[in-house]
Amino acid sequence: MLYIILGIVVVLLTILILGLLLPQKRIVTKQTVYNASVETVYNTVTNNKDWKYRTSIEDLRIVETNGEFEIWEEISQGNTIRFKTKEKKPFVFYSFEMNSNFFQGEWFAKFEPIENGKTLFTATEIITYKNPLIRVVGYTFMDLDKFMETYQRELKNKIENASR
């Protein structure tokens, strides 16, 4: 029995030490070119009422609206993340804050018109884990790069299929 308790303590201490060694903050940036105007891309990204094209979200509830600014919650795999619009510059820039039991962060996007009516979309997500144990879980199970890639692919499908 003593060996089991000692083993559990050693595992927990190892996870804690790993968490302390991992960076507290993660930053991922992804770019995609959309065959649509900056207005179309911006309006699609900032429209929280039209979210069903995003397969990672089970539900999205707008909690509060104040002009162009919103507070909303997204439910995914039983977890709720609360978002709050931070800044909107139509057709140029959009950002929001996010907060969950496990992390807090910020997401922002730039919209740049490029040749032939296309848009260069650059999104950055910054996540800060709330404690070292969650940090280990986050680095192990939260593939931010894949999340961003999936979001931008689904956004591309939504935008480019809507224009046909």
Side-chain angles (χ1 to χ4, degrees), residues 42-84:
Y42 178 88
N43 289 334
T44 305
V45 169
T46 60
N47 183 358
N48 288 322
K49 291 177 183 147
D50 184 14
W51 58 271
K52 301 260 185 195
Y53 65 93
R54 298 182 55 201
T55 60
S56 63
I57 299 177
E58 295 162 21
D59 195 15
L60 186 150
R61 287 176 265 179
I62 298 172
V63 176
E64 183 180 323
T65 301
N66 183 4
E68 286 289 309
F69 290 75
E70 294 175 325
I71 296 173
W72 71 97
E73 294 178 339
E74 293 179 5
I75 293 94
S76 178
Q77 298 175 343
N79 296 307
T80 300
I81 304 172
R82 183 167 269 229
F83 299 84
K84 181 179 180 184

Side-chain angles (χ1 to χ4, degrees), residues 15-53:
I15 292 170
L16 179 64
I17 290 168
L18 280 172
L20 291 169
L21 294 174
L22 290 169
Q24 186 177 7
K25 194 174 279 192
R26 292 176 71 185
I27 301 171
V28 175
T29 300
K30 284 261 181 227
Q31 288 187 319
T32 302
V33 172
Y34 296 112
N35 190 19
S37 69
V38 289
E39 291 85 358
T40 299
V41 177
Y42 178 88
N43 289 334
T44 305
V45 169
T46 60
N47 183 358
N48 288 322
K49 291 177 183 147
D50 184 14
W51 58 271
K52 301 260 185 195
Y53 65 93

Side-chain angles (χ1 to χ4, degrees), residues 29-34 110 112 120-124 148 152:
T29 300
K30 284 261 181 227
Q31 288 187 319
T32 302
V33 172
Y34 296 112
K110 297 176 185 173
E112 299 175 53
L120 175 62
F121 175 77
T122 306
T124 299
M148 293 278 278
Q152 290 190 18

Side-chain angles (χ1 to χ4, degrees), residues 150-163:
T150 299
Y151 170 72
Q152 290 190 18
R153 183 182 65 250
E154 291 176 346
L155 180 62
K156 184 177 192 102
N157 289 339
K158 167 76 174 164
I159 289 168
E160 294 184 1
N161 287 336
S163 65

